[in-house]
Amino acid sequence: MALLQIAEPGESTVPHQRRLAVGIDLGTTHSLVAAVRSGLPEVLPAADGSKLLPSVVRYRSDGSKEVGEAALLAAAQDPLNTVVSVKRLMGRGRMDALRQRSPYRLAGDEQDGTSMVRILTEGGAVSPVEVSADILRVLRDRAEATLGDELVGAVITVPAYFDDAQRQATKDAATLAGLHVLRLLNEPTAAAIAYGLESGAEGVYVVFDLGGGTFDVSILRLSKGVFEVVATGGDAELGGDDFDATLADHWLRSWGLDRDALSSSEWRSLLRLARRLKESLCESVNDQTLVSQEWMRDDGSRPLALTSRQAFKELTAPLVERALSVCAGVLHDAGLNRDQIQGVVLVGGSTRLLNVREAAQNFFGQEPLAHINPDEVVAVGAALQAHLLAGNRPGGEDWLLLDVLPLSLGLETMGGLAEKVIPRNTPIPVARAQEFTTFKEGQAAMAIHVVQGEREVVSECRSLARFELRGIPPMAAGAARIRVSFQVDADGLLSVSAQEKTSGVSAHVEVKPSYGLGEGEIAQMLEDAMTHAGSDMKARALREHQVELRQLIESLSEALAADADLLSHSERVELEAAMSGGRQVCGGDHLDAIKNALDGLGRLSGPFAERRMNRAVSQALKGKSIQTF
């Protein structure tokens, strides 16, 4: 477009050379996408202006899906086919879903407790990876429509306390959504980047991140552009969802009802009401405000009454104590006292709860830094990191991110014990090795079981992978020297290799946790997506031309406001008529009409662009001699 090539001296006249990358906060309750535009990070809105996308997907019998607000509105009426809070099931098995009292119909029989969880819907069985991919796909489309081009990649945030299985599941979901993952970034670290770069803060800071489904706390040392994570900890099953469930269970007990006696629809509607009451208490300025509503059941209505914020505080105190115990553990791991903390940054929508803020303030002995938007700060930090990783580093801007491993990695040894090879809070990327030996005389093979966690026994840790080292020469028990090497990349993902030193036989595994998707499953899903490539390409072409036409009209409007005197009256009338026609077809789905509008505006604006360029050059040269240049 000719008009878009006009730039001030020293500015780039080739805007498409910038590599577009985004930061995505894939949240339990809401998800966001952000990007750096004109040098500043911003959360990208949907067409209706909303920035938060509810992390909810509804599956229909005809194969169609609803994602976001429409799905959320249908959650109570169609609970078995509408998936909410899927983040808690990422990288988890069927047994985990049963333990969490998941309200969905699960694939598999009652004895099948170890396979990856799949949710049965009218649209077919779906895994948490596929549900998350549907959410990520909407965010990708939103970003490309707003930015006007395809993305080269994305930084996706995960809770700091996500284990290897959960991180790999997140990466699989991005692959299915057509996103190249530049990096998986811990949510507290992303928040620290956004806060530190905005405020220029230096010193030791705590990021207290309580979201809809997970809790993380990280201690970072900020110093002249270096973001060093000192220690991190968390609870992957503590968040706003638990506050809602605590309220709902309290009401049920007061009525003499059991959760199992409720239908899925009744439980979902009760949780929604609990969330509404919780949010009302957050916004209330009166400590004794009476909040009461009614919850309808098939057998009539039940009055709800939560008399005060104090009652809510007492009811949810055990949840807050769980968060504070994590804070104490992270301080201990970091070897720091509370008076060595310069500031406490609150992140996550659940930190809006007054009792949570008060607890954080009392624990750390200082008022938290809450002036930043707790919903957006993680996505903003991820966008800044994505901008850098995509190669868009501005001149003079240089900062370094040093993260840590959230959970220890190790191997199962005799007796079902867990031998830690890389302890938690080790800076990543990292490589560590340890030597083991055989237990039996003439042992020719060794089964290697990789685990993650802090417990001393394997049964209490998370199983990540199993593989075998074969071809070990027959030796006396204890004579073989088997070196097992662990490598963790910057995303916190693991690969393991084993080698018998005397013979050189070796084995290697890229750890793909049993609760993730296999390479074959991902390939099949991508192949299925290709069957719809034709319609998808048409939809993409329509969207790209809509964006191009909208940008051209906006550029012409700005140009007319500045230099309308360069056009004759008839030229201006004709150009404005073409712009009006373009606006009318821009929102439609007729590609040919949009192309015709683009061609017409291109022809009409060409002479105008040349005159503007001549004026710009004349103004730049005015009063200067040839020797100046």
Side-chain angles (χ1 to χ4, degrees):
M1 281 170 273
L3 287 170
L4 297 183
Q5 301 306 311
I6 300 173
E8 294 295 326
E11 292 183 353
S12 171
T13 59
V14 193
H16 65 274
Q17 284 185 344
R18 189 169 70 94
R19 292 163 57 83
L20 299 178
V22 295
I24 293 178
D25 177 4
L26 184 60
T28 305
T29 308
H30 295 97
S31 297
L32 308 89
V33 58
V36 175
R37 306 176 73 189
S38 302
L40 296 174
E42 62 177 283
V43 176
L44 304 180
D48 62 0
S50 60
K51 294 181 178 180
L52 300 179
L53 174 72
S55 302
V56 185
V57 185
R58 183 189 187 191
Y59 296 90
R60 295 178 174 272
S61 57
D62 60 2
S64 63
K65 307 167 189 174
E66 291 178 336
V67 182
E69 194 65 38
L72 180 62
L73 293 174
Q77 290 73 37
D78 191 17
L80 296 180
N81 301 302
T82 306
V83 185
V84 303
S85 299
V86 71
K87 189 172 181 177
R88 284 199 162 180
L89 295 176
M90 291 290 280
R92 292 294 175 248
R94 191 172 187 276
M95 186 67 76
D96 296 300
L98 293 172
R99 181 177 52 79
Q100 292 180 21
R101 303 181 71 178
S102 174
Y104 308 110
R105 295 168 297 184
L106 304 179
D109 55 38
E110 290 303 318
Q111 285 72 41
D112 177 20
T114 58
S115 63
M116 181 178 64
V117 61
R118 290 188 181 273
I119 301 168
L120 295 174
T121 72
E122 289 182 351
V126 294
S127 69
V129 170
E130 293 167 280
V131 178
S132 297
D134 289 330
I135 298 168
L136 288 171
R137 198 173 289 112
V138 171
L139 295 175
R140 184 203 69 189
D141 291 345
R142 175 188 296 185
E144 291 181 347
T146 304
L147 301 175
D149 205 347
E150 293 187 5
L151 304 176
V152 300
V155 169
I156 301 178
T157 61
V158 293
Y161 220 56
F162 256 21
D163 62 28
D164 194 83
Q166 293 167 304
R167 291 170 189 268
Q168 186 62 58
T170 303
K171 206 164 189 178
D172 289 346
T175 300
L176 285 181
L179 285 166
H180 170 58
V181 179
L182 298 172
R183 183 168 182 179
L184 296 178
L185 182 62
N186 287 344
E187 290 164 2
T189 308
I193 290 172
Y195 175 78
L197 292 180
E198 176 196 25
S199 63
E202 292 195 0
V204 179
Y205 285 78
V206 169
V207 180
F208 186 102
D209 183 358
L210 184 62
T214 59
F215 171 67
D216 292 304
V217 59
S218 293
I219 298 178
L220 294 95
R221 183 173 287 108
L222 313 184
S223 176
K224 298 180 180 179
V226 177
F227 298 82
E228 179 189 1
V229 181
V230 180
T232 192
D235 189 331
E237 296 183 9
L238 175 63
D241 285 356
D242 300 285
F243 287 78
D244 302 338
T246 298
L247 277 178
D249 283 331
H250 169 70
W251 291 329
L252 290 176
R253 285 193 302 272
S254 69
W255 303 329
L257 294 175
D258 185 81
R259 189 193 298 188
D260 294 334
L262 272 59
S263 67
S264 296
S265 179
E266 288 172 335
W267 175 244
R268 187 70 63 83
S269 64
L270 188 60
L271 285 176
R272 185 174 62 180
L273 184 56
R275 178 174 298 176
R276 191 182 308 150
L277 294 179
K278 176 188 70 177
E279 292 171 351
S280 298
L281 284 175
C282 291
E283 297 166 0
S284 172
V285 296
N286 187 345
D287 286 346
Q288 298 300 320
T289 296
L290 178 69
V291 181
S292 62
Q293 297 191 29
E294 289 191 343
W295 170 60
M296 297 298 297
R297 284 199 73 196
D298 295 339
D299 58 354
S301 64
R302 304 270 182 173
L304 303 183
L306 186 64
T307 56
S308 69
R309 183 182 287 119
Q310 181 62 30
F312 174 82
K313 179 178 179 179
E314 293 173 358
L315 193 62
T316 57
L319 300 176
V320 177
E321 284 301 318
R322 278 171 60 184
L324 296 182
S325 67
V326 173
C327 294
V330 174
L331 276 173
H332 178 270
D333 289 345
L336 296 171
N337 299 318
R338 301 178 196 187
D339 55 9
Q340 294 175 277
I341 304 298
Q342 270 72 52
V344 180
V345 179
L346 296 184
V347 181
S350 296
T351 58
R352 287 192 170 91
L353 292 169
L354 186 60
N355 59 321
V356 171
R357 293 195 174 202
E358 289 177 345
Q361 179 171 338
N362 293 336
F363 181 86
F364 290 104
Q366 58 183 288
E367 186 174 355
L369 303 165
H371 62 280
I372 53 178
N373 188 324
D375 289 321
E376 298 182 2
V377 65
V378 169
V380 166
L384 289 165
Q385 175 77 349
H387 192 64
L388 231 61
L389 294 178
N392 300 317
R393 186 188 301 270
E397 182 175 311
D398 190 18
W399 44 278
L400 177 64
L401 173 60
L402 303 173
D403 220 327
V404 298
L405 189 71
L407 293 162
S408 300
L409 293 165
L411 296 174
E412 179 178 0
T413 58
M414 291 302 298
L417 298 178
E419 175 72 18
K420 295 180 177 63
V421 177
I422 307 180
R424 72 177 188 273
N425 289 323
T426 298
I428 57 174
V430 62
R432 292 276 177 88
Q434 192 165 325
E435 286 195 358
F436 297 86
T437 189
T438 52
F439 178 73
K440 293 182 179 180
E441 195 85 14
Q443 185 173 335
M446 176 180 283
I448 297 174
H449 183 197
V450 184
V451 297
Q452 186 168 31
E454 305 311 315
R455 303 290 291 274
E456 297 301 320
V457 292
V458 168
S459 60
E460 299 298 328
C461 294
R462 175 68 56 178
S463 174
L464 293 183
R466 297 175 185 268
F467 67 105
E468 292 184 349
L469 177 65
R470 294 188 172 275
I472 302 173
M475 302 182 194
R481 294 172 51 218
I482 299 165
R483 185 177 180 83
V484 181
S485 301
F486 283 59
Q487 286 189 313
V488 182
D489 64 17
D491 293 328
L493 299 177
L494 170 69
S495 62
V496 182
S497 60
Q499 183 182 48
E500 202 287 308
K501 300 297 289 182
T502 59
S503 64
V505 297
S506 63
H508 177 81
V509 62
E510 295 287 342
V511 176
K512 290 284 291 186
S514 56
Y515 299 145
L517 289 179
E519 296 292 345
E521 290 177 288
I522 294 177
Q524 182 61 50
M525 291 175 183
L526 292 175
E527 184 177 331
D528 293 341
M530 291 300 293
T531 62
H532 304 286
S535 59
D536 290 347
M537 288 298 293
K538 290 179 181 178
R540 176 178 288 275
L542 175 64
R543 187 174 72 246
E544 289 175 346
H545 282 81
Q546 286 173 329
V547 171
E548 187 177 355
L549 179 57
R550 191 179 302 117
Q551 289 178 331
L552 178 55
I553 292 172
E554 290 176 359
S555 296
L556 283 169
S557 298
E558 295 174 1
L560 284 173
D563 297 309
D565 60 302
L566 294 175
L567 294 172
S568 67
H569 176 72
S570 61
E571 287 175 325
R572 179 168 182 174
V573 169
E574 188 177 10
L575 183 57
E576 289 180 339
M579 291 167 62
S580 177
R583 292 189 184 96
Q584 292 178 6
V585 303
C586 190
D589 56 1
H590 297 290
L591 182 58
D592 289 340
I594 295 174
K595 286 182 176 179
N596 290 336
L598 275 168
D599 292 341
L601 280 173
R603 287 193 302 271
L604 291 173
S605 64
F608 185 29
E610 292 175 5
R611 295 171 200 171
R612 293 194 72 212
M613 180 63 74
N614 290 336
R615 171 174 285 183
V617 172
S618 297
Q619 290 176 345
L621 295 177
K622 187 175 181 181
K624 295 183 172 66
S625 65
I626 191 66
Q627 286 78 13
T628 305
F629 301 96

